[in-house]
Amino acid sequence: MSDAPKRSAADIEADLQRTRQELTEIVDELATRVDPKANAKAAADQAKAKANEFAAKAKAVPADASHGDAVAIGILVAAAATVLLAGYLIIKR
């Protein structure tokens, strides 16, 4: 014989309701994770944030170079060399 206490119908119904709610939440979360529109928007938002971060860093390079930051000076020298090389190659054609 079983020593387990007998559960009332109300207890069983409450357990079923909790289980249904948990499953509903899980299904909703999974649906959100695989939603192509939501994933595309999240990727676009992330790319936009990275681009804004990069632009902010790029705008700070001249000021950093004027304060003697060696990395910033190197970036400006490399950019100038690239522009000069591109100009030379265009003129050489």
Side-chain angles (χ1 to χ4, degrees), residues 3-43:
D3 291 334
K6 297 246 179 192
R7 294 175 48 196
S8 69
D11 290 340
I12 294 170
E13 184 60 38
D15 285 346
L16 288 172
Q17 187 59 32
R18 270 193 301 278
T19 302
R20 283 187 198 110
Q21 183 61 36
E22 289 172 3
L23 288 173
T24 298
E25 290 171 5
I26 291 169
V27 169
D28 289 345
E29 183 181 338
L30 290 173
T32 301
R33 285 185 185 184
V34 299
D35 180 20
K37 286 183 183 179
N39 289 338
K41 184 177 180 343

Side-chain angles (χ1 to χ4, degrees), residues 31 34 52 76 81 88:
V34 299
N52 289 337
L76 291 178
Y88 171 76

Side-chain angles (χ1 to χ4, degrees), residues 58-74:
K59 288 178 183 176
V61 168
D64 291 345
S66 70
H67 291 104
D69 183 354
V71 173
I73 293 169

